[in-house]
Amino acid sequence: MFVSVAYLSVLPSSIISAAGLRDEAVHYREEGYERQRYGDLHSARSAYQKAAAINPSDPILHNYFGLLYQQQGDLEAAKQSFTHALVLDPSYKEALWNLATLHDRLGNREQALFQWLKLGMLYEQDGELPRAQEAYQQVLEIDSNYLEAMTNLA
């Protein structure tokens, strides 16, 4: 079997290009987050959009978009962004926390309860027992008779 030297020399540069693009996307994402922290929401959104154009499947980016939309008062867009982050990474606890909190805020008790319970189980699986208890406590604040949360707190 004959493999061209030219073909072999292309492979490493394509891998390097992909890594460079990921780094660029992370740079834009973190730049956006910093701008958002300082209240420059327009620049934050612009940086997030640049990151999304490079890497649309970054769950952290979609979580940040959700926080931005929430800060701007667009709670439906925030919910969609948090949900999308969880589609990309179902065990992404920060996005799950943000979605549960948003459902609580919107009065979606059943959805909030489900998200808090799922979050508690994820924290428990990862050995983060104080955080798990905190999530289960949120479940009990929604429904003080919820047996599974009471069992997990015990």
Side-chain angles (χ1 to χ4, degrees):
M1 178 173 170
F2 176 78
V3 177
S4 165
V5 175
Y7 176 75
L8 292 176
S9 67
V10 171
L11 184 59
S13 66
S14 65
I15 292 171
I16 292 169
S17 290
L21 284 176
R22 274 193 304 277
D23 290 347
E24 187 176 357
V26 168
H27 167 76
Y28 283 128
R29 182 188 74 204
E30 295 308 313
E31 177 185 323
Y33 186 72
E34 282 302 306
R35 290 178 188 269
Q36 183 177 350
R37 283 186 45 208
Y38 291 105
D40 186 357
L41 304 185
H42 179 74
S43 294
R45 183 181 180 125
S46 177
Y48 291 156
Q49 287 170 333
K50 289 176 185 175
I54 297 167
N55 184 8
S57 59
D58 178 359
I60 297 170
L61 175 63
H62 290 283
N63 185 57
Y64 287 178
F65 262 123
L67 294 171
L68 176 70
Y69 292 136
Q70 195 169 27
Q71 198 170 355
Q72 292 175 325
D74 189 346
L75 302 184
E76 186 57 38
K79 184 171 71 170
Q80 289 174 4
S81 291
F82 296 142
T83 301
H84 190 67
L86 290 165
V87 166
L88 296 169
D89 181 358
S91 63
Y92 184 24
K93 291 179 278 202
E94 187 175 337
L96 194 52
W97 184 280
N98 291 332
L99 184 60
T101 302
L102 182 60
H103 278 301
D104 254 351
R105 182 175 170 193
L106 293 171
N108 301 333
R109 293 172 41 101
E110 289 299 315
Q111 281 296 317
L113 187 141
F114 174 75
Q115 302 301 336
W116 286 120
L117 190 60
K118 183 177 175 183
L119 186 61
M121 287 188 266
L122 284 172
Y123 280 129
E124 196 171 347
Q125 287 172 355
D126 291 345
E128 299 177 60
L129 298 182
R131 297 299 305 251
Q133 289 177 328
E134 194 175 348
Y136 293 138
Q137 190 61 47
Q138 292 293 332
V139 170
L140 292 175
E141 286 182 26
I142 295 169
D143 182 351
S144 61
N145 296 315
Y146 200 81
L147 182 60
E148 191 169 351
M150 288 190 290
T151 304
N152 290 335
L153 273 173

